[in-house]
Amino acid sequence: MRRELARNQLSRFVVWTGDDGPVPAAAGVVGVEYRGRLGHPSSYGLLMAHATDSLGVQFDIRSTSVALSVPCDEVALGLTEPEYRAALFAAGLVLGSGLVITGAGEGQVGSSVVVFTRLAAVLSVLLAVGPGSVDDAELWATWDEPWRARRVPDTAANGG
């Protein structure tokens, strides 16, 4: 399964399962790649994950020999920047579900903590309801405000 969701000429997601994406995904794994404005520091990221019953984020990243072509950037597969891994751990505290990250791709120029935090939120939604069941508007709303759906219950539970 492969879905391409273009927001405009500058931003798009590719969501996939199996061998339909830029990096092959094992059974049960969903991948999402974000490409934004070329040269912008938050213009690229790729995450692949499957759901788990354990809360938070875990890592099981395997090396792959796939080369990705991204205009104006060099992509490295894996997480080479410690702050990206830290951002994913922090996102896992808010998710309310568990993710096992099985693949990641970062751009030398275009990746940021913002990209990986937002991709974790998008992946959690895709895994919760199925990658083919989320409409485009909901996915982009999750990207724009990753924790909007999760803050309301937290506020109510805390008496606010």
Side-chain angles (χ1 to χ4, degrees):
M1 183 232 55
R2 178 186 176 105
R3 287 177 66 193
E4 292 196 33
L5 299 90
R7 174 187 224 155
N8 53 41
Q9 292 180 332
L10 301 176
S11 300
R12 74 178 174 103
F13 288 123
V14 173
V15 176
W16 77 95
T17 57
D19 293 336
D20 291 336
V23 177
V29 170
V30 173
V32 63
E33 179 187 49
Y34 170 75
R35 292 188 185 201
R37 185 168 24 124
L38 297 177
H40 190 274
S42 291
S43 63
Y44 186 80
L46 179 147
L47 270 185
M48 300 165 58
H50 64 80
T52 182
D53 292 334
S54 301
L55 293 179
V57 170
Q58 301 169 39
F59 293 91
D60 186 16
I61 297 177
R62 303 184 192 264
S63 63
T64 179
S65 60
V66 174
L68 299 176
S69 174
V70 176
C72 299
D73 209 346
E74 281 187 43
V75 172
L77 294 175
L79 289 172
T80 63
E81 299 294 332
E83 63 264 25
Y84 299 160
R85 189 176 290 263
L88 290 167
F89 276 127
L93 299 174
V94 183
L95 289 176
S97 61
L99 293 178
V100 177
I101 306 292
T102 62
E106 63 184 50
Q108 183 177 18
V109 173
S111 289
S112 69
V113 167
V114 171
V115 168
F116 286 101
T117 300
R118 291 178 178 196
L119 282 174
V122 167
L123 256 178
S124 71
V125 170
L126 290 167
L127 287 165
V129 298
S133 301
V134 180
D135 75 13
D136 296 14
E138 181 179 353
L139 216 52
W140 284 111
T142 300
W143 174 263
D144 290 336
E145 195 174 345
W147 315 122
R148 70 181 163 82
R150 291 163 182 88
R151 277 196 289 244
V152 174
D154 290 344
T155 303
N158 293 326

